[in-house]
Amino acid sequence: MAAAQGRLSDGTGGMDDAKEGDRDAMDAVPLPFRAAVDALRTARLRPQIEIEPTRAPQRLAPFAYALEAAVVDGEEDLADGRLVLLHDPAGHDAWQGSFRLVTLVRAELEPEMAADPLLPDVCWSWLTGALQARGLSYGEASGTVTRASSHYFGGMSERPAASQIEIRASWTPREGLGGVPDTASHLASWCDLLAQIAGLPPAGPGDASVVTLPQRRGPQSR
């Protein structure tokens, strides 16, 4: 199974490009995991979000697949993140299921926004709200919201102080037909969170009530 995980974790190839010597290992990949990964690969997402496969962690579960994404405005990145799909066919007591989604999302903040004492609670509500807005069933959600400030000295003293928000979270997507969770919709909700933390306007008229972070000044060059 370790060999299969290694191929699935390889964002440059993945299941479709397995070499001849890897075929036996690929045959061992559970069909529910194959279907869940295929759904991630074919999901249609907001055009401002650039997304691509990346190498997944090797020891969190027997099978893993990872994506990284950035919210892009021209040549600038407003926010970025990583989403990892884990699968243990035997199930996992802590997950209360056989699949788990793990994420890291981060963006820079305006100083006045970073000072808001309610910001961590608001950011966590964006994660759960993004899932609920798409009617997704999930469980065992946990995570952290961290604010960090950087101040520059010496040869870097001319740079203005910078603040960043970071959300680390995981949750169990409920499994549907054939034991496969709706990973495409979970990915879409995760992209909604990325867009929200980047300060993009709502995607459609039906989302007009969504409150986003104001877009920060001077986004990071890519």
Side-chain angles (χ1 to χ4, degrees):
M1 294 207 310
Q5 181 195 38
R7 282 303 299 175
L8 288 170
S9 300
D10 186 354
T12 63
M15 293 184 294
D16 296 335
D17 299 328
K19 297 178 181 178
E20 184 175 353
D22 294 328
R23 293 299 179 186
D24 290 342
M26 298 311 299
D27 289 342
V29 176
L31 289 177
F33 184 66
R34 285 176 177 264
V37 170
D38 285 343
L40 290 176
R41 290 173 169 169
T42 57
R44 300 185 65 181
L45 305 173
R46 188 166 173 162
Q48 296 94 334
I49 296 177
E50 295 185 355
I51 193 164
E52 62 183 6
T54 188
R55 184 168 292 277
Q58 299 292 302
R59 299 179 180 177
L60 297 180
F63 301 94
Y65 183 79
L67 296 166
E68 59 184 9
V71 180
V72 178
D73 180 15
E75 293 298 315
E76 311 295 342
D77 288 356
L78 303 179
D80 61 76
R82 193 180 194 212
L83 184 69
V84 181
L85 175 68
L86 304 176
H87 179 54
D88 186 341
H92 195 293
D93 290 342
W95 303 353
Q96 293 295 300
S98 63
F99 283 90
R100 188 77 170 170
L101 285 162
V102 181
T103 186
L104 164 67
V105 173
R106 59 194 174 192
E108 290 190 23
L109 299 173
E110 297 288 355
E112 59 271 19
M113 180 63 68
D116 186 344
L118 296 178
L119 182 64
D121 300 274
V122 170
C123 288
W124 183 256
S125 73
W126 288 348
L127 170 64
T128 57
L131 294 168
Q132 293 165 3
R134 292 183 179 271
L136 294 171
S137 180
Y138 67 96
E140 310 304 318
S142 63
T144 62
V145 178
T146 304
R147 286 178 291 194
S149 297
S150 298
H151 300 265
Y152 301 94
F153 301 92
M156 302 175 68
S157 59
E158 294 183 358
R159 295 181 60 176
S163 298
Q164 186 180 74
I165 192 75
E166 180 181 276
I167 303 173
R168 293 179 180 268
S170 63
W171 65 95
T172 298
R174 295 307 183 204
E175 298 165 17
L177 186 65
V180 182
D182 185 359
T183 50
S185 293
H186 280 271
L187 174 59
S189 70
W190 180 71
C191 289
D192 292 341
L193 171 65
L194 269 176
Q196 211 167 356
I197 200 171
L200 293 185
D207 300 324
S209 62
V210 174
V211 178
T212 59
L213 283 179
Q215 184 173 326
R216 61 183 175 84
R217 294 185 294 271
Q220 180 180 350
S221 296
R222 304 186 70 198

